Amino acid sequence: MNIVGLIVEYNPLHNGHAYHFAEAKSLAEADAVVAVMSGDFLQRGEPAIVSKWARTEMALHLGVDLVLELPVAYAVQPAEWFAHGAVATLEATGVVSHLCFGSEAGALEDLQPLAARLADESAALKAAVAEELATGASYPAAYAAAAARACAGPGGDAAAARALLMQPNNSLGLHYLIALRRLHSGIAPLTVRRRAAGYHDAAPQDAAIASATAVRALLAGAGGLEAAAPYLPPSTTAILAREFAAGRGPVTWDSFAQQLFHRLLLCSPAELATHHEMNEGLEYRIKKLLPQLEEATVTQLLKQLKTKRYTHTKLQRTLLHVLLQHARSALSPAVLAGGPGYLRVLGFNKTGRELLKQMKKTATLPIVTRTAGLNNRHLELDLQASAVYANAMPGHDTNDLFRDYRQPPITI
Amino acid sequence: MNIVGLIVEYNPLHNGHAYHFAEAKSLAEADAVVAVMSGDFLQRGEPAIVSKWARTEMALHLGVDLVLELPVAYAVQPAEWFAHGAVATLEATGVVSHLCFGSEAGALEDLQPLAARLADESAALKAAVAEELATGASYPAAYAAAAARACAGPGGDAAAARALLMQPNNSLGLHYLIALRRLHSGIAPLTVRRRAAGYHDAAPQDAAIASATAVRALLAGAGGLEAAAPYLPPSTTAILAREFAAGRGPVTWDSFAQQLFHRLLLCSPAELATHHEMNEGLEYRIKKLLPQLEEATVTQLLKQLKTKRYTHTKLQRTLLHVLLQHARSALSPAVLAGGPGYLRVLGFNKTGRELLKQMKKTATLPIVTRTAGLNNRHLELDLQASAVYANAMPGHDTNDLFRDYRQPPITI
């Protein structure tokens, strides 16, 4: 049986995802699809527009057979750790045969040589990254430059490597390949070229497919859900409509403005510096900037914090760690290198139920379908993240706050 | 020159306060009035309905000549520490000759003998309080019982002492008298009988005077400011109208619901237990109660937390320390016993300006008219408290958030 793994955020699930899903299934000649999905907070350091439960429903309607949650400890991280957590999750199921990801390159041949070099060269690479960072470059730029240097030898093409890595999906894809290598995984990688709109584009450029960023911009605009609907499967549109009507979305960074400012105002620079990713004096920069903000919004804070060195994404993630009270020690490299400690099941269909049965024999991590019982620090972070996410919903009630403790996996 | 000190909260300033003000001035034959006022958070563990700046204006319009802020370290405390901080502030001015407070007893003769006994008996009293607490009594009840036991000897009247202390203004007044004794203060105490509505009453019982609690209930009701206006000086009504129109009030506990729940959801019991007043396993009770709450409101949380042992006030104060991230160590008895470290000037009139000139010679603490410069841990707590208070205002902007850093004393 071929079972293809996807690494997704579905924020929200749109026609581009449906395209990728179909391509992945076909490329892998897959009998089933397992998705590992970020929970309520995402890789770029943002809250999802609707909860992980709503997004799980979207995934199941698309045809995903089993949805697993990527722990927040890995979900809100730079590409390396995000990829490590997601690939390790797929690997730990013991049933996934293929991993299919979108990339700008669209061809594994462009990425595998680079992955081979970078997977093996981690100490030298780290030193090179540190050198590049010392010049004031942002982390992604520093990594791309360091990777290029690593490829500068015989048979390598430094400029091509650098150009490749500056594209965000190539970069993620490369890290999936590296993670597969480092985990000595038997999962076979596949890639699909990303179509149409670029990841960062804010306006739809295609009648049927728009990026998730563009879809969210439409949802936030005057046209709302109606304007976004052409780019969404009908099931996504229906789920979003239901969630918005119930006051469970849309959730944005500014839904957390009061909570974030509250914490930033109360924490001293030394207290801020105890959070994951808060380093290099960024804590002082934030405290100094607060009184000079033009508006007390997260959007404005991010805008005024932005420098060449700190990408928007890095800043968003750092603020998210402050918001979620993520201590540096809880997400140290030593802790993260150990990989996720559980497989949290968010939803499944009939095929997924069969997969879960099979996984009882093959899985190398505990399968969590109810949160009571398993005592795991990262699972606690997931539960806390979901509770504070619900607390920021425009019209939440106490059931929303503690849904994660009560909700069995979604089934369709 | 006679200068009378008042210890106030003015939440909001109403006709009853105006009555007390006139009585105090007359009793003390005072040439000037100095008020020490709680900042944005109050003794009963609540946020003030409008900011300390607006309430300072109310005080100045009433005729108070100089308004000093009671540091939040003392303002949100049981009667003993509240009284200690407030009396020490008045004493440190070096100019206050009298202290006038309202009491149900209305006669110093009823309170002074008790104060004399309790001021001298602190170790034995503490032991007696601990014994009473061990029976499951609330702190105020335990203190009243222990004080009664202390008065049970020759010449004492235990039952009368107990009855006296169960009335909140007597209890505060008694602690003012104790504080004066312990500080060996030369300030002469005076008391005025509290008129009409009891402290805890929620409905006005008099055409002209209603308690602050009753006034706030009217403000929160359908009649709003118009319904409350008969009980307020016109200046208070005008200031409230302006503040509400600008989105700077009314602020209530539920203005902080998201911020409080956010923190309660993220902190483990062990983390909760690091906060001031969070003890006796209350941290576990809170964490256990959260998923069972009928509504995710502070009102509901307080209602469901309430037991015979934990008074509403004690619970409110404890939650406020969590909200404000007040560490137990920052407000330890050893720290508080040292007294306030500064005299923060919130406002003054022409007479107050003269008092301040005089205080340059007489004051035993630094006089703070701008917050820049003085490095004091309790002043930092005041600034943080005001910032997070502003962050909870319905329509705040960044100027509100950092007003405390920029606002010179209010003058009229």
Side-chain angles (χ1 to χ4, degrees), chain B residues 277-352:
Chain B
E277 280 206 49
M278 185 70 81
N279 44 30
E280 303 175 345
L282 184 55
E283 65 275 19
Y284 291 101
R285 227 178 105 65
I286 291 173
K287 290 296 278 187
K288 204 176 153 190
L289 179 60
L290 284 179
Q292 299 161 20
L293 274 187
E294 284 161 33
E295 287 168 46
T297 61
V298 182
T299 310
Q300 189 63 31
L301 175 61
L302 286 164
K303 193 177 158 191
Q304 291 189 234
L305 272 178
K306 180 86 183 63
T307 62
K308 189 182 149 217
R309 173 58 158 273
Y310 298 119
T311 64
H312 189 76
T313 300
K314 146 85 182 173
L315 291 169
Q316 285 199 132
R317 274 200 298 261
T318 308
L319 292 180
L320 208 47
H321 295 306
V322 172
L323 182 79
L324 298 176
Q325 297 185 196
H326 283 169
R328 189 189 306 286
S329 57
L331 302 178
S332 69
V335 169
L336 294 175
Y342 49 92
L343 297 171
R344 174 90 187 271
V345 179
L346 293 179
F348 55 84
N349 60 15
K350 216 173 142 190
T351 306

Side-chain angles (χ1 to χ4, degrees), chain A residues 258 262-263 291 323 391 406, chain B residues 258 262 291 323 325 391 406:
Chain A
Q258 279 192 312
H262 187 90
R263 182 119 175 108
L323 182 79
N391 184 52
R406 295 167 181 151
Chain B
Q258 279 192 312
H262 186 89
L323 182 79
Q325 297 185 196
N391 184 52
R406 294 167 181 151

Side-chain angles (χ1 to χ4, degrees), chain A residues 50-298:
Chain A
V50 289
S51 78
K52 63 189 180 191
W53 300 110
R55 285 154 43 239
T56 294
E57 276 183 81
M58 294 173 190
L60 294 174
H61 280 286
L62 176 65
V64 173
D65 299 295
L66 174 63
V67 183
L68 302 173
E69 179 172 0
L70 179 62
V72 68
Y74 295 94
V76 183
Q77 292 282 9
E80 296 92 305
W81 288 123
F82 178 88
H84 179 73
V87 171
T89 298
L90 292 174
E91 174 69 13
T93 62
V95 298
V96 171
S97 59
H98 293 76
L99 161 61
C100 186
F101 57 89
S103 63
E104 292 85 359
L108 282 182
E109 305 79 64
D110 294 342
L111 296 169
Q112 280 289 30
L114 200 49
R117 277 174 183 267
L118 298 178
D120 295 341
E121 254 190 315
S122 80
L125 186 68
K126 270 182 202 166
V129 170
E131 279 176 36
E132 295 290 338
L133 281 173
T135 69
S138 72
Y139 188 85
Y143 187 88
R149 280 163 60 182
C151 297
D157 180 342
R162 189 171 186 146
L164 204 76
L165 272 169
M166 291 307 285
Q167 294 183 287
N169 289 284
N170 283 343
S171 171
L172 269 175
L174 179 79
H175 287 292
Y176 298 148
L177 297 175
I178 294 173
L180 287 171
R181 285 171 185 270
R182 290 197 181 146
L183 292 165
H184 307 292
S185 171
I187 295 175
L190 300 166
T191 190
V192 174
R193 190 183 303 275
R194 280 182 65 93
R195 284 193 61 205
Y199 193 55
H200 292 305
D201 295 344
Q205 299 176 356
D206 186 302
I209 293 185
S211 72
T213 306
V215 168
R216 289 195 303 276
L218 287 170
L219 286 169
L225 190 49
E226 206 175 315
Y231 308 97
L232 306 173
S235 50
T236 293
T237 305
I239 291 163
L240 287 176
R242 185 198 65 203
E243 293 295 299
F244 294 173
R248 290 193 292 266
V251 174
T252 68
W253 239 124
D254 274 311
S255 308
F256 295 89
Q258 279 192 312
Q259 292 92 308
L260 177 68
F261 277 96
H262 187 90
R263 182 119 175 108
L264 292 176
L265 291 166
L266 286 180
C267 286
S268 65
E271 287 164 326
L272 285 183
T274 63
H275 295 93
H276 184 57
E277 279 208 50
M278 185 70 79
N279 43 31
E280 303 175 348
L282 184 54
E283 64 275 20
Y284 291 101
R285 225 176 108 66
I286 290 173
K287 291 296 278 186
K288 205 175 151 190
L289 178 61
L290 285 178
Q292 299 160 21
L293 274 187
E294 284 161 34
E295 288 168 46
T297 61
V298 182

